[in-house]
Amino acid sequence: MYIIKLLIKNAFRHKLRTCLTVLSVAIAILSFGLLRTVIDAWYAGVQASSASRLVTRHAVSIILTLPISYKEKIRQIEGVKLVSYGIWFGGFYIEEKNFFANFAVEPKTFLEQYPEYIFKPDEKAAFLRDKKAFAAGAKLVKKYGWKIGDIVTLKGTIYPGNWEFVLRGIYKGRDKNTDDSQFFFHFDYLNEILKKTVPARADRVGHYVIEVTSPDLVADVATRVDKTFYNSIAETLTETEKAFQLGFVSMSDAIITALRLVTFIVIVIILAVVANTINMTARERIGEYSVFKTLGFGGWRIAGLLFGESFIITMMGCTAGIILTFPAARTFANTVGSYFPTFNVTMDTILLDITFSILVGILASVIPTWRSIKTPIADGLRRIG
């Protein structure tokens, strides 16, 4: 305890400099934590993927559609437990800035395949019953102030026009990384209107979601599905849900790489700031350390004083940065929530904050410590006064 008091007193000998250093470290840790959380949010869909679900899409491009008639053929393949389908609708609410994920799905099989979306029983039944109904996540509903029974109009981009839906169900995520900001409606509602207005686009789906009887059969079922439609007009590509989600993430690979690079730059900045402070401290006290040496203090004791001071300054900044990360993340999520449906500061991020802070605390004091120990006593004493 005495040593800790001594280190804290040493750290605050120059109060303004120490406070500014702690503030700099806190801001750097805050930046690091937010950037790591953004990267984690990018991979949230991958982490939420199920090992027993496959996604089948057009082999050429994800924007091309498949015939709805494939469903029955897929359902008859050995190892397939349940088949659902859907298509990206791409609409927005009132203005283009109000954009969120919205899909047309086959509701019954979709909800069976995704038990992580938790509904009230009466709302779930109402959603399944009403062809014009839509269901939305609690986060999305809260954002726009919708209530059960409200009529919501989406402006279509892929399917032009104003599309009216009635809110019949609100779901909550079962898990922390479940996206509760999505918008689902009946595929039949979309398909029936397309049959009347654009028949060429009717009876086409964007993807099939296949639930297999056992995760061990995932590879075999994927191969069988693609073989079934080999050399057809619309060949398929079947992959695990995780691989499918990673395919989306890879489209933003350059951005994610840039963010990762910035996180390392932030670490270097922390190191430079703390190293500068400890270096100035060691230079100012070189005379004191020389006196210590004449009194019999060894190099390890002097090293302990400098390492300890560096560690305390860094960890104070780290603690402040971690505490600030949580309200900053909530503010960030409220501002750009539609782009990052799940935005949670994870324990891994906190552990990285602490690990890098400890490393910075050690590395920043290496050179000042080495100089303080190696400086001859006579040279050090000349600097007193």
Side-chain angles (χ1 to χ4, degrees):
M1 186 59 72
Y2 172 76
I3 294 297
I4 294 174
K5 286 182 179 177
L6 177 64
L7 293 175
I8 293 174
K9 283 188 176 181
N10 275 344
F12 281 94
R13 275 200 205 179
H14 199 303
K15 291 184 177 59
L16 178 61
R17 186 170 66 202
T18 301
C19 289
L20 290 175
T21 305
V22 170
L23 179 63
S24 302
V25 174
I27 292 172
I29 288 293
L30 170 63
S31 305
F32 178 82
L34 283 178
L35 288 169
R36 287 293 314 175
T37 305
V38 168
I39 294 172
D40 290 342
W42 231 295
Y43 284 92
V46 178
Q47 293 168 355
S49 302
S50 167
S52 60
R53 290 196 294 251
L54 292 168
V55 177
T56 298
R57 64 177 177 86
H58 199 290
V60 176
S61 170
I62 197 169
I63 64 171
L64 299 178
T65 57
L66 298 168
I68 198 170
S69 58
Y70 280 13
K71 180 188 174 184
E72 285 306 313
K73 293 180 181 177
I74 294 173
R75 199 169 59 83
Q76 294 170 14
I77 292 172
E78 184 183 352
V80 173
K81 181 181 178 183
L82 189 64
V83 183
S84 187
Y85 54 85
I87 192 165
W88 173 254
F89 182 68
F92 59 85
Y93 179 57
I94 302 176
E95 298 178 278
E96 289 187 10
K97 67 178 183 180
N98 299 324
F99 176 79
F100 41 79
N102 45 90
F103 302 89
V105 299
E106 200 292 299
K108 187 173 183 300
T109 51
F110 175 81
L111 294 184
E112 288 180 32
Q113 287 185 335
Y114 290 87
E116 55 265 44
Y117 299 140
I118 308 298
F119 285 84
K120 291 180 180 176
D122 56 332
E123 292 182 6
K124 182 177 179 179
F127 170 60
L128 293 174
R129 193 168 49 244
D130 185 356
K131 194 177 289 185
K132 204 174 176 181
F134 79 95
K139 186 177 178 181
L140 188 67
V141 170
K142 182 181 178 183
K143 180 177 180 180
Y144 293 111
W146 296 334
K147 301 184 294 296
I148 294 292
D150 280 359
I151 295 176
V152 174
T153 302
L154 293 190
K155 293 186 177 181
T157 53
I158 301 172
Y159 303 96
N162 292 329
W163 298 74
E164 287 190 350
F165 306 95
V166 183
L167 179 58
R168 296 297 185 196
I170 300 171
Y171 74 85
K172 292 182 178 177
R174 182 189 62 190
D175 308 315
K176 197 173 183 181
N177 57 359
T178 301
D179 182 0
D180 57 357
S181 63
Q182 299 191 63
F183 182 113
F184 310 121
F185 63 93
H186 290 234
F187 177 83
D188 286 346
Y189 175 58
L190 170 68
N191 201 42
E192 287 179 7
I193 292 177
L194 290 177
K195 283 180 179 177
K196 296 175 185 173
T197 55
V198 195
R201 301 184 70 180
D203 294 331
R204 309 285 297 184
V205 302
H207 62 270
Y208 288 96
V209 180
I210 303 167
E211 186 174 351
V212 296
T213 52
S214 167
D216 297 335
L217 298 175
V218 162
D220 292 339
V221 172
T223 304
R224 288 177 197 143
V225 171
D226 291 341
K227 278 186 177 177
T228 302
F229 304 108
Y230 185 66
N231 271 341
S232 66
I233 297 174
E235 293 187 3
T236 60
L237 173 63
T238 303
E239 54 196 347
T240 63
E241 191 177 55
K242 186 173 186 178
F244 182 73
Q245 295 285 355
L246 279 172
F248 275 106
V249 174
S250 66
M251 295 178 189
S252 309
D253 199 40
I255 298 173
I256 295 172
T257 302
L259 287 175
R260 286 197 170 121
L261 183 62
V262 171
T263 60
F264 288 110
I265 292 173
V266 169
I267 298 301
V268 174
I269 291 171
I270 305 174
L271 180 60
V273 169
V274 178
N276 183 56
T277 298
I278 299 301
N279 191 46
M280 285 193 290
T281 299
R283 194 169 57 235
E284 290 168 358
R285 297 179 196 163
I286 197 70
E288 292 181 27
Y289 296 144
S290 297
V291 173
F292 287 165
K293 289 176 191 174
T294 59
L295 295 175
F297 283 82
W300 284 109
R301 291 180 184 274
I302 294 171
L305 289 173
L306 281 168
F307 274 106
E309 193 171 331
S310 173
F311 180 78
I312 283 178
I313 291 173
T314 309
M315 294 314 295
M316 282 194 295
C318 173
T319 304
I322 290 173
I323 292 171
L324 290 173
T325 300
F326 289 94
R330 278 196 295 274
T331 304
F332 188 87
N334 291 334
T335 307
V336 296
S338 58
Y339 297 100
F340 298 103
T342 60
F343 197 82
N344 302 311
V345 181
T346 63
M347 184 53 69
D348 288 346
T349 298
I350 301 300
L351 291 176
L352 280 175
D353 285 342
I354 295 171
T355 302
F356 281 125
S357 296
I358 293 173
L359 285 175
V360 165
I362 294 171
L363 292 175
S365 54
V366 169
I367 294 177
T369 301
W370 182 79
R371 285 179 178 168
S372 299
I373 294 173
K374 290 298 179 182
T375 301
I377 294 175
D379 290 348
L381 291 174
R382 284 194 198 102
R383 301 186 190 183
I384 296 178

